[in-house]
Amino acid sequence: MARREAKTKPTARTLDARKATILEAVVTEHIDTAQPVGSSSVAHSADVAVSPATVRSEMVALEREGYLAQPHTSAGRVPTDKGYRYFVDHLTSGVLSTAQQHQVKDFFASVRGEVEDVLEQTSTLLSQLTSYTAVVVGAGHSHATILSVQLVSLDARHQLLVAVFSDGSVAKHSVLTSFDAGSLEVSEASRQLNALLIGTTLEQRVQVPSRHDNVATLVRESVSVLHAERPVTDGEHVFIGGSSKVAEVFDGVETVRKVLSILEQELLVVSLVQDMLDQGLSVAIGSEHGYEPLLSCAVIVAPVTVDGAPAGAVGLLGPTRMKYREALAAAGVVSQHLARHFGGEEERG
Amino acid sequence: MARREAKTKPTARTLDARKATILEAVVTEHIDTAQPVGSSSVAHSADVAVSPATVRSEMVALEREGYLAQPHTSAGRVPTDKGYRYFVDHLTSGVLSTAQQHQVKDFFASVRGEVEDVLEQTSTLLSQLTSYTAVVVGAGHSHATILSVQLVSLDARHQLLVAVFSDGSVAKHSVLTSFDAGSLEVSEASRQLNALLIGTTLEQRVQVPSRHDNVATLVRESVSVLHAERPVTDGEHVFIGGSSKVAEVFDGVETVRKVLSILEQELLVVSLVQDMLDQGLSVAIGSEHGYEPLLSCAVIVAPVTVDGAPAGAVGLLGPTRMKYREALAAAGVVSQHLARHFGGEEERG
DNA sequence: ATTAGCACTCAATTCTACCGAGTGCCAACC
DNA sequence: GGTTGGCACTCGGTAGAATTGAGTGCTAAT
């Protein structure tokens, strides 16, 4: 009697096989037609072996439980966010077409240049693979150690602090002084900064000299400026590829405008991605990410891990009716290649 | 007889006063209604003191001469590119509203940070002022002299070259070697590079050592990598603000997509701006700039000049029916403030 | 429990009529 | 001669009315 959970399911977290199949059929069809899906097209679809009437009654149930919605009486059904959620949770993982696999392989085989350039180009690649807008976030250098610090004098009161990190990134900050700094003072400060900071990360606090002479002040200023990296983004490494896809993929000027204007605020994009990573989400659908202007969007993220440490993430932004299987596959493959690319580089040492 | 050019004007380069007034009325009205303009609304407009019938016959002439076009019989007239061109060529220069003047002033009074950050924020400002998409191009460091060069070892075969320029910009390039470089060799190469390059610009060629030892090879490699800056863009300083405005300002998804996809190709944007500066154009309308996907766009550029030398440019991109007077004023004011901002900074030295 | 049958709903499409903004032309007027 | 009022004509846009058809919900039969 207790073996079957027959009677006890007010709103079961899981659907019986037939409902699941029907839901899947609706989602699949709606994804590639963008139209409400009717009972008969579901009934005639491959894995469903019942009549439209039966499908209809199941659909009523699915609607009652919140997986489907009806734009208006006498239209077909459309998946709700919850419906999409069920769909992606039960998605079998997909693979790229061989042509796409080649494209990715060729790309990573031939890509050259600075980290930033690679990430930038990767965002374009990912966008081309999926025809959605792609986001690539570099982790920033908060975990990297400092290899070199240098103070360069632009003019007497205006120094430029340049720090090189072990991940190959470079930070640059102006340091303004209230006194005229002589070139000897600057180079002495530079020397002390090196002694002080090499080998540390931005997260470690260091002992700064408390004296009040020019050199000590310069050193103190420099350290504080360097450590004052913007808290959230911390690395300015956000690359957005294929923002023009937004105009292809969403309908309604208003939606396009909203989404574009979100994408303009890189800080926002980074925190969205970060939030999702923190929650261990790989897909956020509609309202799930909590950003109101992105209600009609789905976001996919895949972390990039180099040597066990988080090194960034790649993401995709499309409509809720995006091609999840393909998009997830693309994001996954690209993130792995990216990880290998950067991992491989360091192994060469 | 020769005094009046009465008979000799097959297609006069200049329009008589009444035609000019009528053309101006049509352009002005069409710019703020986005509708074809009929003879009667022109006739009733302020500066025109003739009947609709007269206006009509003048319009026929203006159409014959290519200043106006008719979407279809029995619609009003719409300016052609040539019509807009005449309009902007005879435009009295405008000023910003006091609110806008304040906004600009406040912005430049409070803006802080690295050049890149300032330019980035300026692009946002300009876009907000005009509700068009703004472009800010930094000149790049081809004219700046090198203040410091440093080679930092990431691993034995992988060095990072960091150069600081007199304009406060920093260039960073990987240098890969086919041999394992020892830290002594790297620092010696670094020393030599400094001796060789400090005070030069990227445009000056320098004598590199021709020896075949590791240090000399490293130095040669570094110099060539540094001088191999991408030819056109040369400075990676392109900032685009308010790309979401594209969706507001153009109608037709297809147009929006085209324009966005142009904006994604920063190289293309830079060369467009550069072309216009070279030709001394400040406004390019429709086909004038020769970029087919931007046929329905008008582009405004204003150079930024610091100490007599070109230091970049600001630009605006909108529909051909953009508010030229306001946009020109905004671009002008912002470019001047920008020039003063950077000029002012250096004077402090 | 499933399904065929059927009445019903309602968005989308088509068709029609019509309106009116705007034109081009002409004859009258100054 | 240039200007203007008058007038017939064009043609896109809009508003209804009629029609279509995809899709539903319900019910009774299997």
Side-chain angles (χ1 to χ4, degrees):
Chain A
M1 216 191 254
R3 194 179 303 165
R4 301 224 76 180
E5 17 81 299
K7 271 275 125 76
T8 10
K9 46 167 183 177
T11 301
R13 204 80 210 101
T14 175
L15 297 172
D16 65 67
R18 198 169 66 186
K19 282 204 182 60
T21 315
I22 289 174
L23 176 57
E24 193 193 319
V26 172
V27 173
T28 311
E29 172 129 357
H30 181 255
I31 283 176
D32 66 52
T33 63
Q35 299 294 322
V37 180
S39 57
S40 78
S41 74
V42 171
H44 297 135
S45 97
D47 321 305
V48 183
V50 290
S51 76
T54 311
V55 173
R56 275 205 288 283
S57 66
E58 292 287 49
M59 278 173 145
V60 183
L62 284 168
E63 184 168 3
R64 193 173 352 101
E65 293 171 38
Y67 294 96
L68 295 178
Q70 236 177 339
H72 55 84
T73 348
S74 101
R77 295 324 204 280
V78 157
T80 59
D81 290 352
K82 188 177 175 188
Y84 283 119
R85 165 53 57 195
Y86 188 94
F87 178 76
V88 310
D89 282 345
H90 294 77
L91 205 52
T92 60
S93 57
V95 290
L96 297 188
S97 75
T98 46
Q100 288 180 314
Q101 288 176 357
H102 262 100
Q103 196 182 343
V104 176
K105 223 172 216 166
D106 292 355
F107 173 82
F108 281 103
S110 69
V111 71
R112 290 270 171 286
E114 303 311 306
V115 188
E116 290 84 350
D117 299 336
V118 174
L119 295 181
E120 166 92 62
Q121 291 175 53
T122 302
S123 78
T124 306
L125 170 76
L126 187 52
S127 162
Q128 282 171 0
L129 284 174
T130 57
S131 54
Y132 300 120
T133 303
V135 176
V136 175
V137 183
H141 30 233
S142 58
H143 294 284
T145 59
I146 294 175
L147 293 182
S148 146
V149 185
Q150 202 186 0
L151 218 45
V152 178
S153 192
L154 292 178
D155 60 55
R157 315 203 137 189
H158 198 189
Q159 327 300 327
L160 198 70
L161 178 70
V162 178
V164 181
F165 294 82
S166 57
D167 63 352
S169 63
V170 172
K172 156 198 166 192
H173 297 280
S174 301
V175 180
L176 296 157
T177 51
S178 51
F179 53 88
D180 285 2
S183 74
L184 281 178
E185 290 171 327
V186 172
S187 57
E188 173 58 18
S190 206
R191 207 192 53 72
Q192 290 187 17
L193 281 169
N194 263 293
L196 211 55
L197 294 171
I198 284 184
T200 67
T201 73
L202 282 188
E203 280 169 344
Q204 295 169 17
R205 300 292 108 171
V206 295
Q207 278 294 336
V208 291
S210 53
R211 284 164 294 125
H212 278 77
D213 57 297
N214 286 353
V215 172
T217 309
L218 206 44
V219 169
R220 257 199 321 276
E221 267 301 301
S222 301
V223 170
S224 94
V225 151
L226 187 60
H227 280 176
E229 288 268 271
R230 349 236 180 316
V232 189
T233 56
D234 85 335
E236 32 268 273
H237 301 342
V238 196
F239 303 96
I240 294 180
S243 44
S244 66
K245 306 284 185 185
V246 173
E248 290 174 23
V249 140
F250 292 97
D251 26 30
V253 199
E254 188 48 22
T255 315
V256 175
R257 217 219 69 239
K258 270 190 198 165
V259 175
L260 283 177
S261 102
I262 293 286
L263 288 176
E264 275 179 57
Q265 296 161 268
E266 304 201 329
L267 229 133
L268 226 152
V269 175
V270 178
S271 39
L272 167 58
V273 171
Q274 206 55 57
D275 284 359
M276 286 181 61
L277 288 179
D278 290 350
Q279 294 174 42
L281 275 182
S282 65
V283 184
I285 299 161
S287 54
E288 293 178 355
H289 43 57
Y291 290 76
E292 190 273 332
L294 299 183
L295 264 184
S296 49
C297 303
V299 180
I300 290 182
V301 295
V304 176
T305 313
V306 174
D307 304 330
V314 304
L316 282 168
L317 186 146
T320 43
R321 47 170 281 275
M322 86 188 314
K323 300 194 173 175
Y324 291 99
R325 191 181 283 112
E326 291 80 351
L328 279 163
V333 167
V334 169
S335 79
Q336 275 165 33
H337 267 88
L338 209 49
R340 205 172 311 145
H341 182 80
F342 290 124
E345 243 174 28
E346 267 157 41
E347 274 157 30
R348 260 181 238 143
Chain B
M1 214 189 251
R3 195 179 302 163
R4 299 223 77 178
E5 19 81 296
K7 270 276 128 73
T8 11
K9 45 167 184 177
T11 303
R13 202 83 211 99
T14 175
L15 298 171
D16 65 66
R18 198 170 63 185
K19 281 202 183 63
T21 316
I22 290 173
L23 177 56
E24 194 194 319
V26 172
V27 173
T28 311
E29 172 130 357
H30 182 254
I31 282 177
D32 67 51
T33 64
Q35 299 292 323
V37 182
S39 57
S40 77
S41 74
V42 171
H44 297 136
S45 98
D47 322 304
V48 182
V50 289
S51 76
T54 312
V55 173
R56 275 203 290 280
S57 66
E58 292 288 48
M59 278 174 146
V60 185
L62 283 167
E63 185 169 1
R64 192 171 355 98
E65 292 171 38
Y67 294 96
L68 295 177
Q70 235 177 338
H72 55 83
T73 348
S74 100
R77 299 311 205 288
V78 158
T80 59
D81 291 352
K82 188 178 173 186
Y84 283 120
R85 165 53 57 195
Y86 188 94
F87 179 76
V88 311
D89 282 346
H90 294 78
L91 206 52
T92 61
S93 56
V95 291
L96 298 187
S97 74
T98 45
Q100 287 180 316
Q101 288 176 357
H102 262 100
Q103 197 182 343
V104 176
K105 221 171 217 166
D106 292 353
F107 172 83
F108 281 103
S110 71
V111 71
R112 289 271 171 285
E114 304 310 307
V115 188
E116 291 84 350
D117 299 336
V118 174
L119 295 182
E120 166 92 62
Q121 290 173 55
T122 302
S123 77
T124 305
L125 170 76
L126 186 52
S127 161
Q128 282 171 0
L129 284 174
T130 58
S131 54
Y132 300 121
T133 303
V135 175
V136 176
V137 182
H141 28 234
S142 58
H143 294 284
T145 59
I146 294 175
L147 292 182
S148 145
V149 183
Q150 203 186 0
L151 216 45
V152 178
S153 191
L154 293 178
D155 59 55
R157 317 202 135 191
H158 198 188
Q159 327 300 329
L160 199 71
L161 178 71
V162 178
V164 180
F165 293 81
S166 57
D167 63 351
S169 62
V170 172
K172 156 198 166 192
H173 297 281
S174 300
V175 180
L176 295 157
T177 52
S178 52
F179 53 86
D180 284 3
S183 74
L184 281 179
E185 290 171 328
V186 172
S187 57
E188 173 55 20
S190 206
R191 207 192 53 74
Q192 290 187 18
L193 281 168
N194 263 294
L196 213 53
L197 293 170
I198 284 183
T200 68
T201 73
L202 282 189
E203 279 167 345
Q204 295 168 16
R205 298 293 108 171
V206 294
Q207 278 294 338
V208 292
S210 54
R211 284 166 293 123
H212 279 77
D213 57 294
N214 286 355
V215 172
T217 309
L218 206 45
V219 170
R220 259 200 319 278
E221 266 301 298
S222 302
V223 170
S224 94
V225 151
L226 188 60
H227 280 177
E229 288 267 271
R230 351 242 175 312
V232 189
T233 55
D234 88 333
E236 30 270 274
H237 301 343
V238 194
F239 303 96
I240 294 180
S243 43
S244 65
K245 306 285 186 184
V246 172
E248 288 173 24
V249 141
F250 292 97
D251 28 29
V253 199
E254 188 49 20
T255 314
V256 174
R257 217 219 69 238
K258 271 191 199 165
V259 175
L260 283 176
S261 100
I262 293 286
L263 288 176
E264 275 180 55
Q265 296 162 265
E266 304 200 331
L267 228 134
L268 224 152
V269 174
V270 178
S271 38
L272 167 58
V273 171
Q274 206 53 57
D275 285 359
M276 287 180 61
L277 288 179
D278 291 349
Q279 294 174 44
L281 274 181
S282 66
V283 184
I285 300 160
S287 54
E288 292 178 356
H289 43 55
Y291 290 74
E292 189 275 333
L294 299 183
L295 265 183
S296 48
C297 304
V299 181
I300 290 181
V301 295
V304 176
T305 311
V306 174
D307 302 331
V314 305
L316 282 168
L317 185 146
T320 44
R321 44 171 284 275
M322 85 189 314
K323 301 194 172 173
Y324 292 99
R325 190 180 283 112
E326 291 80 351
L328 279 163
V333 167
V334 168
S335 79
Q336 275 165 32
H337 267 88
L338 209 48
R340 203 173 312 146
H341 182 80
F342 290 125
E345 243 174 26
E346 267 156 40
E347 272 157 33
R348 262 180 237 146

